[in-house]
Amino acid sequence: MPEIIRYTPDRATEWNQFVSRSKNATFLFDRGYMDYHADRFCDHSLMVYHKGRLYAVLPANADADMLWSHQGLTYGGLLTGPEATTGHVCDIFIALNDYLRRQGFRRVVYKATPWIYHLMPAEEDLYALVNVCGAKIITRHISSTIERGHLLAFTEARRSGIRKAKASSLQVAEPGIEGISLFWPILNDNLAGKYGATPVHTQAEMRLLMSRFPEHIRLFTVDDGNQTVAGTVIYVTPEVTHTQYISASHRGKQTGALDLLFDYLLKEVFSHSHFFDFGKSSDGDGHDLNRNLIFQKEGFGGRGICYDWYEYQLVE
């Protein structure tokens, strides 16, 4: 059976090298990204060895008697290499569950990586979750995604916004790290006003992550003269361009700033990207659909991709 070892910081290089060749990993699983919020979570990531060779890793954290994979990430289950087969992955879950029981865990919440992020087919974990672990879906969020080979025309609402933005002489820019100080107040105001919430990342954290992953994390803004009125933080992975944050000021909303921005990003900057993922439009546990938000994203041609969470009990 596979050998399960808990991750420790001295294994960071080995971990990162495996992530870089995994068939279903993104830069979010590099320890340089994962560990930015290490103070908020009790890390209990696991490394799986087969015949002395690292075969899989599981980004995870502990919360009392529950193991999450990973509570601080949008997605992320078992990461495997191209050589991973269904039988091996089933054996990994048997070994993982035995390890977790011995460690005193009683439940597992597993946030599966949506298939659009896979470099090649990698849903062996979903088979094992149901048929080895008896897991059930407990949360299903909906995201809006554009596939490059199936582009849909923008709706009239989005085209109208583009015309407004051009008539107002708005300009798209990529200001780099320094633009965070201009965009974050807009983002904060919107989240606080609509949801009573704050961004997952602080300004300082986003600056740090952008400095560590400049090719993967990019900020684009829309400027009205010398004033920033809208923007988006983009996460770039091999298969998917993902909007981590989107926001516009009152002026930006009036002038169609986001319509201009995404028209430019889709047609110019990321025209090569296989998938363009606008992110989820469902709140809470997924039951509450934000219809206004998804209306905007679907207006650019986005269609549904699910982000699923599974749960199962570790019975003796």
Side-chain angles (χ1 to χ4, degrees), residues 4-303:
I4 311 298
I5 295 177
R6 184 174 177 179
Y7 169 82
T8 52
D10 61 297
R11 296 178 180 267
T13 298
E14 184 182 19
W15 175 287
N16 290 340
Q17 287 175 347
F18 182 84
V19 166
S20 70
R21 73 174 188 85
S22 170
K23 66 178 180 177
N24 58 336
T26 68
F27 75 94
L28 273 69
F29 307 116
D30 185 286
R31 299 309 305 198
Y33 186 95
M34 283 185 61
D35 293 342
Y36 86 88
H37 53 21
D39 59 320
R40 300 183 206 169
F41 301 98
C42 177
D43 189 272
H44 203 108
S45 297
L46 300 172
M47 304 175 76
V48 183
Y49 290 85
H50 178 65
K51 297 181 178 179
R53 179 168 174 261
L54 186 58
Y55 194 82
V57 299
L58 180 67
N61 70 281
D63 181 12
D65 65 351
M66 181 182 295
L67 186 86
W68 288 78
S69 74
H70 179 295
Q71 204 167 1
L73 298 174
T74 306
Y75 53 82
L78 188 73
L79 309 178
T80 55
E83 67 279 4
T85 65
T86 302
H88 284 156
V89 171
C90 288
D91 290 341
I92 287 172
F93 273 92
I94 293 171
L96 279 172
N97 292 342
D98 182 58
Y99 166 90
L100 294 173
R101 291 187 196 96
R102 287 187 278 109
Q103 295 297 315
F105 290 101
R106 293 293 175 262
R107 291 185 295 164
V108 175
V109 174
Y110 187 99
K111 299 162 73 172
T113 300
W115 65 268
I116 56 174
Y117 290 91
H118 298 175
L119 294 176
M120 58 187 293
E123 292 190 338
E124 295 86 1
D125 61 334
L126 302 188
Y127 176 85
L129 280 170
V130 172
N131 295 290
V132 173
C133 307
K136 305 292 185 184
I137 294 176
I138 59 168
T139 298
R140 169 165 281 174
H141 285 288
I142 188 74
S143 180
S144 300
T145 301
I146 295 171
E147 185 178 8
R148 182 57 50 188
H150 298 88
L151 297 177
L152 300 176
F154 290 2
T155 62
E156 175 54 30
R158 304 282 66 83
R159 295 197 299 269
S160 174
I162 295 168
R163 292 193 294 269
K164 288 180 184 178
K166 289 181 177 179
S168 300
S169 300
L170 302 188
Q171 297 294 321
V172 177
E174 186 175 5
I177 292 176
E178 296 311 310
I180 291 295
S181 61
L182 301 175
F183 175 61
W184 234 244
I186 297 173
L187 180 62
N188 271 317
D189 288 347
N190 272 330
L191 289 177
K194 289 184 177 179
Y195 310 109
T198 58
V200 173
H201 305 87
T202 65
Q203 280 197 50
E205 288 170 343
M206 185 51 67
R207 285 173 176 270
L208 173 65
L209 292 173
M210 287 182 72
S211 70
R212 290 179 177 177
F213 301 95
E215 295 181 359
H216 294 288
I217 305 177
R218 299 169 67 177
L219 170 66
F220 294 88
T221 59
V222 181
D223 299 329
D224 184 6
N226 60 2
Q227 178 185 13
T228 296
V229 296
T232 182
V233 174
I234 297 287
Y235 278 18
V236 182
T237 64
E239 290 293 303
V240 183
T241 298
H242 171 75
T243 57
Q244 182 69 12
Y245 294 109
I246 306 170
S247 210
S249 68
H250 180 68
R251 171 65 176 166
K253 294 171 184 175
Q254 284 183 321
T255 54
L258 289 176
D259 296 315
L260 178 73
L261 176 59
F262 287 114
D263 182 57
Y264 175 75
L265 294 180
L266 288 165
K267 294 179 180 178
E268 301 293 336
V269 184
F270 299 112
S271 60
H272 62 284
S273 183
H274 191 177
F275 297 102
F276 193 99
D277 182 30
F278 284 98
K280 68 179 185 179
S281 298
S282 45
D283 301 322
D285 61 0
H287 284 90
D288 299 322
L289 180 64
N290 188 327
R291 292 180 179 270
N292 290 333
L293 183 59
I294 204 167
F295 173 80
Q296 180 187 44
K297 296 172 181 179
E298 291 178 341
F300 294 110
R303 293 296 183 266

